[in-house]
Amino acid sequence: TVTANLARCIATKPELNVGILDIDLCGPSQPRIMGCEGEGVHQSGSGWSPIFIEDNLSIMSAGFLLPSPDAAVIWRGPKKNGLIKQLLRDVDWGALDLLLIDTPPGTSDEHLSITQFLAEAGIDGAVIVTTPQEISLQDVRKEINFCRKVNLPVLGIIENMSLFTCPKCHM
């Protein structure tokens, strides 16, 4: 939800063209969050066309390529890497000012692939999303260490659900 909210907020500036690339291959949620689930990807002479949410906000997701929202992606590294590379190479985004990339939690193949594939493009950095629970914070520490190891600047950390209080344990 954070990626979708950031994209929608940035896209309120009509002079900025924003894209969302959903590479959470095992759980591509952006199509549903952005209200375009079930849309089909169209092929043109210049590549795949992203789905436009607004005139200046587009999205591409592996979710558009699956036969149904319930279809499982059971792939290992090389196949995942191939799809990520294809999504980067074959999508005709047009002129983007900003590309937000939604990744799965943790430090999986998707993270390593996207940082390697975008290294030459001059990636600005990562925004890491967490929740207040200690288990999430442990993952965030690993993600920060990952970013350091691959020389990816951490632009910020967003604590999602920080105002949520569990009705049972009141934490």
Side-chain angles (χ1 to χ4, degrees):
T1 58
V2 171
T3 302
N5 285 330
L6 278 174
R8 285 208 180 268
C9 286
I10 295 166
T12 59
K13 296 180 182 267
E15 69 276 8
L16 294 178
N17 290 313
V18 181
I20 298 173
L21 177 58
D22 182 3
I23 63 166
D24 187 348
L25 303 182
C26 295
S29 58
Q30 290 302 314
R32 184 169 191 171
I33 292 170
M34 297 302 287
C36 56
E37 192 173 43
E39 291 284 334
V41 174
H42 301 284
Q43 182 78 31
S44 69
S46 58
W48 288 339
S49 298
I51 305 301
F52 279 85
I53 308 300
E54 305 287 342
D55 288 341
N56 66 334
L57 176 57
S58 57
I59 176 175
M60 178 54 75
S61 171
F64 296 131
L65 307 174
L66 299 175
S68 78
D70 297 328
V73 176
I74 305 170
W75 292 351
R76 290 194 174 170
K79 199 158 185 178
K80 283 181 173 183
N81 292 346
L83 179 58
I84 292 169
K85 193 173 203 173
Q86 190 172 10
L87 288 170
L88 285 170
R89 182 189 62 220
D90 294 347
V91 175
D92 182 11
W93 293 101
L96 285 181
D97 296 297
L98 186 66
L99 179 63
L100 299 173
I101 301 173
D102 189 58
T103 63
T107 56
S108 61
D109 286 335
E110 291 88 338
H111 300 89
L112 189 54
S113 295
I114 201 73
T115 54
Q116 288 175 340
F117 295 148
L118 289 177
E120 292 179 23
I123 186 170
D124 290 325
V127 175
I128 297 173
V129 179
T130 187
T131 59
Q133 295 79 22
E134 182 57 34
I135 195 78
S136 180
L137 297 173
Q138 288 174 1
D139 284 343
V140 165
R141 286 190 281 278
K142 291 174 188 171
E143 291 169 14
I144 291 169
N145 286 330
F146 170 88
C147 290
R148 286 182 182 140
K149 286 182 179 182
V150 298
N151 296 316
L152 179 64
V154 175
L155 302 176
I157 298 174
I158 295 174
E159 186 178 67
N160 199 13
M161 299 176 62
S162 61
L163 299 177
F164 176 77
T165 303
C166 175
K168 289 190 177 187
C169 69
H170 305 290
M171 293 191 89

